[in-house]
Amino acid sequence: MSKISAMMDIGKRSMMNSQTALQTVSHNIANKSTEGFSRQRVEHQTAPPVGSGNLRYGMGARASNITRTNNPYLEKQILSEGSDLGFAESRAGALARVEEVYNEQLNKGLNKYMGDFFNAFRELSATPESLATRTLVKEASINLANDFGRVSKQLKDVQGDLDGQVRAHVQTINAITEEIASLNEKVQSVEISGAAANDERDRRDLLLKNLAEKIQIKWAEGDNGAVMVTAGNSMILVSGHERATLSAQALSDPANRKGEQLKVFMRQKEDLPPFDATAQIKGGSLGAVLEVRDQVINGLLEDVDEMAFEFTNKLNSVHQQGFNRFNEQGGEFFTLESGKFDAAARIKLHETIRADVGRIATAAAPNSPGDNRVANVIANLQSQNIMRNESSTIDQFYNGIVGKVGVASNQAGHRVDSQKGIVTQLNKLRESVSGVSLDEETAKMIEFQKTFDASARMIRAADEMMDTVLNLKR
C-alpha cells in the first residue's frame, strides 16, 4: 500500500513539475520581445530517496529553482560599449548642429561676407571719389558685422539647446536611479527567502544599461543582492535603497558669453547640501553634451571673437592713418566696446561712417583727390598675415575653423557607425545566449506536455492498483 501511495505521490509531484515548467515556457514566449529579458529555465533535482531493508527507492524529482540564462560578463561589456555609443551619438548630433552654423553651401556665410567687404574696398580704390562705391563699402561692412554677430548668436543658441538637453538628461537619470533603488529593495525581499528575483534582475540590468547611455558609471553588486552605482570621482548615484538626486541650475557667470552657466548639482541625501558635479560627469549622452557645450563651442566662440578683434584692430589702425573726403584724419571704422571677449557679438560699423560715407578714409594725405593708397592697403589686408601673431591670413584662419569643425563632425559620425556595429554584434551575441527561441520553447512545451500526460497515466495506474488491492477483501 505504501508503495502504491508513493507512486501516486511521485506522479503528483511530476505533474506539478510539468505545470511549473509549462508556466515558465509560456512566460518565456510572452516575453519574446521584451527588451532585456533573459530566458528562464526550471531546474529539477532528484527527490531524496527512501530505504527499505537493503533497497532504496527513488521518490521522483522536485523543482529546485527557476534560473535565468545570463552571462554577466557579456552584460557588463554591452553596458560599457552602450555608454560609448550614447556618448558618440550625442556628440555627433551636437557637432552636426555646430556644423550648420558654418555651412556656406546653402547660405551666404562669414567667408563670403568677408570677401564682399574686401572686394568693395578694391572697387573703392579704383574710384575713391564715387559715393555709390562708398555706399557699397558701407553696406558690405554692415553685412560683415551682422554676420559676425550671427555666427556668435547661433553658437550661443546651440549652447542653449544643449542646456535643454542637459535638463532632460538629468530628469531621465533621476527617474532611472529611483527605479534602480526600488528594484534593489525588491531583489532583496525576494531573495531573502531563497527564491531567485529573475524578472527584477533583468529589469535592473536593463536600467543600468540605459543609465550608462546617459552617464559613464561603475557598478558592483553586494552580497545582499543590491547594487551600488557610482559616477565620476565621488558621485554615488545609488546605494542600496537610497539614491542621489541630480539637478540642473543656471548660475550667474561673468566669464560666460551668455552671462550664466547651467551646471549639474548633486544632492547625496535630503539633509546634505548639493555640490557642483559638472566637472565629474564624463561619458554617455550627458558627458558628450557638456563636452561640446563647454569645450568645443566655447573654443569656437573664442576663435570667432579673436577673428573679429584682430580684424577690427588692424583695419582701424590703417583707416586712422588715412584721410576722408573732408580732408580729416580717419577715425575708427568698426567699433568694439571693450576687449576681445564676445567681440563677434559687439562689432559694429562706426556711426559716423554709417551716417556719412564721405567719412571713409581712402587717401594717404589731405587734399589729395583720387588718392587711393589707404583703400589699397585695406583691400590688401585680406592676403596679409594678421591672425595668430601674424602667422596666417584672415581667410586661412577662418578656413581652419571651418575645417576643424568639419573634421570633428565627420570623425564623430564615423565613430557612431563603428560603435553601433560593436553594440549590434554584442546584442546579437546576448540574444543567442539569453534570448527566447520560439522553436526551442515550442519543443520544450511539447516535451513538458507529454511528461504531464505520462504522469497522469501513472496516477491512473496507481489508482487501478489500489482498487485491485481493495477488491481482494470483497
Side-chain angles (χ1 to χ4, degrees):
M1 293 285 288
S2 61
K3 293 180 180 179
I4 296 176
S5 298
M7 290 171 59
M8 288 186 173
D9 192 40
I10 292 172
K12 182 187 72 171
R13 279 203 303 271
S14 181
M15 289 180 68
M16 293 175 63
N17 291 341
S18 298
Q19 288 178 8
T20 302
L22 284 169
Q23 183 175 350
T24 303
V25 167
S26 56
H27 181 62
N28 289 339
I29 293 174
N31 286 279
K32 171 70 172 68
S33 301
T34 301
E35 185 181 5
F37 179 77
S38 299
R39 184 178 68 255
Q40 297 181 12
R41 285 285 177 261
V42 178
E43 300 294 334
H44 292 99
Q45 183 177 332
T46 303
V50 296
S52 176
N54 61 348
L55 298 178
R56 286 178 65 80
Y57 300 103
M59 296 299 292
R62 62 183 180 86
S64 60
N65 200 2
I66 299 178
T67 60
R68 60 177 185 148
T69 308
N70 182 269
N71 185 336
Y73 301 103
L74 178 60
E75 297 289 342
K76 284 197 172 186
Q77 190 175 3
I78 292 175
L79 182 145
S80 175
E81 297 297 340
S83 181
D84 291 343
L85 177 59
F87 178 88
E89 287 182 331
S90 186
R91 189 172 190 273
L95 287 176
R97 289 286 311 278
V98 174
E99 192 176 21
E100 291 175 0
V101 177
Y102 295 93
N103 185 0
E104 299 194 13
Q105 294 180 348
L106 300 177
N107 301 307
K108 194 172 182 179
L110 187 58
N111 192 42
K112 293 181 180 179
Y113 282 114
M114 185 68 71
D116 289 347
F117 172 80
F118 286 115
N119 288 335
F121 259 100
R122 291 187 183 96
E123 292 188 26
L124 182 60
S125 67
T127 56
E129 300 301 319
S130 171
L131 289 177
T133 307
R134 287 172 175 267
T135 302
L136 177 64
V137 170
K138 183 186 80 169
E139 295 301 324
S141 303
I142 293 173
N143 290 338
L144 177 59
N146 289 341
D147 208 60
F148 267 117
R150 174 197 64 84
V151 173
S152 180
K153 179 181 182 301
Q154 288 186 353
L155 288 174
K156 293 172 187 175
D157 288 345
V158 175
Q159 284 185 319
D161 179 59
L162 295 180
D163 283 343
Q165 293 186 35
V166 169
R167 291 187 176 92
H169 288 321
V170 165
Q171 290 179 357
T172 303
I173 289 171
N174 285 335
I176 293 175
T177 54
E178 182 178 12
E179 189 172 354
I180 290 176
S182 174
L183 286 168
N184 276 343
E185 185 175 4
K186 291 179 181 178
V187 168
Q188 287 181 300
S189 63
V190 169
E191 295 187 347
I192 197 172
S193 62
N198 296 320
D199 294 327
E200 290 82 359
R201 285 181 172 273
D202 280 344
R203 177 62 181 170
R204 190 175 65 183
D205 287 349
L206 177 62
L207 289 173
L208 287 171
K209 294 174 191 173
N210 293 341
L211 181 61
E213 290 178 4
K214 301 297 180 184
I215 183 174
Q216 189 178 69
I217 61 170
K218 295 178 181 178
W219 68 274
E221 182 176 339
D223 295 336
N224 58 2
V227 296
M228 174 181 285
V229 184
T230 62
N233 299 324
S234 59
M235 299 172 63
I236 302 176
L237 298 178
V238 180
S239 179
H241 307 167
E242 298 181 348
R243 56 102 179 186
T245 303
L246 300 182
S247 61
Q249 300 178 24
L251 301 180
S252 177
D253 184 5
N256 189 283
R257 289 167 178 80
K258 296 188 299 179
E260 63 180 20
Q261 178 82 334
L262 186 74
K263 293 183 176 292
V264 178
F265 284 81
M266 177 175 176
R267 185 188 294 273
Q268 198 69 57
K269 294 182 179 179
E270 290 298 327
D271 57 343
L272 295 177
F275 65 91
D276 185 1
T278 309
Q280 296 191 45
I281 297 174
K282 307 293 182 183
S285 300
L286 181 56
V289 167
L290 291 174
E291 178 189 298
V292 173
R293 186 196 70 175
D294 297 339
Q295 298 179 26
V296 177
I297 297 182
N298 277 343
L300 292 172
L301 284 169
E302 289 176 2
D303 287 341
V304 74
D305 285 345
E306 180 181 356
M307 183 177 172
F309 181 75
E310 296 295 341
F311 166 73
T312 299
N313 282 350
K314 191 65 176 178
L315 176 63
N316 284 345
S317 67
V318 174
H319 190 261
Q320 288 169 345
Q321 296 174 13
F323 292 85
N324 57 34
R325 291 186 65 188
F326 305 101
N327 297 320
E328 299 171 344
Q329 191 87 30
E332 288 187 342
F333 192 90
F334 285 111
T335 60
L336 282 176
E337 293 178 4
S338 60
K340 184 188 298 185
F341 183 77
D342 210 19
R346 294 182 290 103
I347 182 174
K348 293 179 182 179
L349 182 64
H350 200 282
E351 289 298 327
T352 59
I353 297 177
R354 187 185 291 265
D356 185 356
V357 294
R359 301 291 181 181
I360 299 175
T362 60
N367 300 314
S368 303
D371 188 352
N372 65 354
R373 284 176 291 175
V374 169
N376 276 329
V377 173
I378 292 177
N380 291 332
L381 286 178
Q382 186 176 17
S383 59
Q384 293 182 9
N385 293 337
I386 64 173
M387 299 300 303
R388 289 280 162 91
N389 298 321
E390 299 183 350
S391 62
S392 65
T393 67
I394 195 165
D395 287 342
Q396 291 171 344
F397 183 80
Y398 180 74
N399 290 335
I401 297 174
V402 175
K404 180 171 63 176
V405 172
V407 169
S409 180
N410 189 48
Q411 289 179 343
H414 287 315
R415 183 179 178 185
V416 170
D417 294 338
S418 174
Q419 201 63 31
K420 275 185 177 178
I422 295 173
V423 173
T424 299
Q425 184 179 5
L426 289 173
N427 282 329
K428 287 182 178 179
L429 183 58
R430 183 195 182 278
E431 186 67 18
S432 67
V433 174
S434 304
V436 177
S437 168
L438 293 180
D439 292 338
E440 181 181 351
E441 297 304 315
T442 301
K444 289 287 184 182
M445 180 178 63
I446 295 172
E447 175 189 344
F448 295 134
Q449 187 178 9
K450 289 184 176 180
T451 303
F452 184 87
D453 292 341
S455 301
R457 285 196 295 270
M458 175 61 67
I459 293 177
R460 283 198 298 270
D463 184 59
E464 292 174 358
M465 292 170 64
M466 181 68 73
D467 287 341
T468 301
V469 172
L470 294 175
N471 287 332
L472 290 175
K473 296 181 180 181
R474 294 178 183 175

